[in-house]
Amino acid sequence: MCRLLGYLGDPISLDRLLLKPDHSLIVQSYQPKEMTSGLLNADGFGMGWYHSHRDTDPYTYKNTQPAWNDINLPHLSRYIESHCVLANVRSATAGIPVDLSNCQPFQHHLILGIHNGFIANFRQTLYRPIRERLSDAVYQSIQGSTDSEHIFALLVQELEQHPDLSLTTALQRVLNILLDLAEQYQTDFSANMIVSDGKQLVASRLANRPPTPTLYWLRDDLLLPQSVVIASEPLFEGNWTPLDDRTLLTVDHDLNLESVPI
């Protein structure tokens, strides 16, 4: 199980999210409190961020080292400022390689996506059914071997096939596809996700069998005013709200929140 982080709000330096909080994402990489499986998130990490003043594709930084072991990260995160950030520390599923192609976030043009969860026995269950739903271009865009990237490919497929879809609707359609496929092929999955286009965050909390991994949101805290933070675990003491199971949460560019059932 990975740990996720999404931020939308006033531009801030990334170290205020990744390093400075008492239970920052870096701390969660070696001392998580609420993982449903695994002990550490030591199989690489990544972060993606959008330019605060230009409409351009997001930037990403990934490493296969444990997040706590990257000597560049404190310097980069102190220097980089952004209004929209996604970050992930990875706990790899047994048998899936630790390499850069399997590190998150995944990117397609303006879209970034991160996933905490799994598809049980992925290669034997939903690997081919998911790939059979993809156009040739989306199929060829898959660089790694994780279930996470294949779920992201389903999202790209929906957005490419239906350009007028909102990001929320596209993610909801992907999750419904996963629910249908999991029932058809009798497998378990969980899909806590955060996706963004730089102007909004859309997050999901979903599993088709318990326990469902945790996900929280926080708005306009004194430590991070004029913002919404979504995280697998609270970064510090505050009025964090657990996202309900089988729920989609959308945060728009004005930081309005709307949740709908999946």
Side-chain angles (χ1 to χ4, degrees), residues 7-255:
Y7 173 90
L8 185 69
D10 285 350
I12 61 169
S13 61
L14 269 58
D15 63 346
R16 292 178 60 188
L17 297 170
L18 302 179
L19 296 169
K20 290 186 175 181
D22 293 336
H23 194 56
S24 69
L25 197 64
I26 304 306
V27 174
Q28 291 178 37
S29 68
Y30 62 80
Q31 200 171 44
K33 296 179 179 179
E34 301 187 37
M35 287 177 66
T36 56
S37 66
L39 298 175
L40 297 172
N41 297 282
D43 300 314
F45 71 94
M47 56 188 187
W49 66 96
Y50 294 82
H51 198 288
S52 296
H53 308 297
R54 296 203 311 261
D55 287 329
T56 186
D57 287 356
Y59 308 88
T60 60
Y61 177 77
K62 304 178 184 182
N63 199 324
T64 56
Q65 295 184 70
W68 69 79
N69 208 33
D70 184 336
I71 63 173
N72 295 310
L73 186 59
H75 301 283
L76 288 172
S77 60
R78 181 170 55 87
Y79 175 78
I80 297 167
E81 291 189 352
S82 177
H83 70 287
C84 185
V85 181
L86 269 62
N88 168 281
V89 289
R90 183 181 179 220
S91 177
T93 301
I96 297 182
V98 177
D99 58 41
L100 284 176
S101 64
N102 287 335
C103 290
Q104 304 183 44
F106 305 112
Q107 179 186 353
H108 179 75
H109 301 315
L110 285 173
I111 306 299
L112 287 175
I114 50 179
H115 168 240
N116 170 35
F118 70 98
I119 298 173
N121 301 312
F122 174 56
R123 297 286 295 195
Q124 292 75 40
T125 57
L126 300 192
Y127 178 79
R128 288 194 65 180
I130 287 177
R131 286 191 164 230
E132 288 169 355
R133 289 177 167 268
L134 305 178
S135 69
D136 185 63
V138 176
Y139 184 105
Q140 296 296 335
S141 72
I142 297 174
Q143 300 297 310
S145 55
T146 62
D147 47 8
S148 300
E149 188 177 8
H150 284 73
I151 295 172
F152 182 73
L154 285 174
L155 178 70
V156 173
Q157 177 72 27
E158 290 296 322
L159 293 170
E160 292 285 293
Q161 193 170 2
H162 308 283
D164 294 332
L165 280 185
S166 69
L167 197 54
T168 302
T169 300
L171 183 56
Q172 180 143 29
R173 291 174 69 148
V174 167
L175 297 172
N176 286 330
I177 289 170
L178 289 175
L179 286 166
D180 291 342
L181 288 176
E183 182 177 5
Q184 181 180 348
Y185 290 90
Q186 294 296 292
T187 194
D188 297 331
F189 80 94
S190 61
N192 281 16
M193 300 187 68
I194 309 174
V195 298
S196 182
D197 58 6
K199 296 181 172 59
Q200 60 186 318
L201 297 177
V202 183
S204 64
R205 181 172 182 235
L206 172 67
N208 70 338
R209 62 105 176 111
T212 305
T214 56
L215 200 64
Y216 299 85
W217 61 267
L218 177 71
R219 178 177 176 178
D220 294 338
D221 187 87
L222 290 176
L223 292 176
L224 296 170
Q226 296 299 310
S227 73
V228 173
V229 184
I230 302 172
S232 297
E233 302 180 14
L235 306 181
F236 45 77
E237 292 294 329
N239 190 28
W240 294 84
T241 301
L243 187 62
D244 291 336
D245 191 11
R246 294 202 172 211
T247 298
L248 271 177
L249 177 70
T250 302
V251 185
D252 71 15
H253 65 283
D254 291 321
L255 305 184

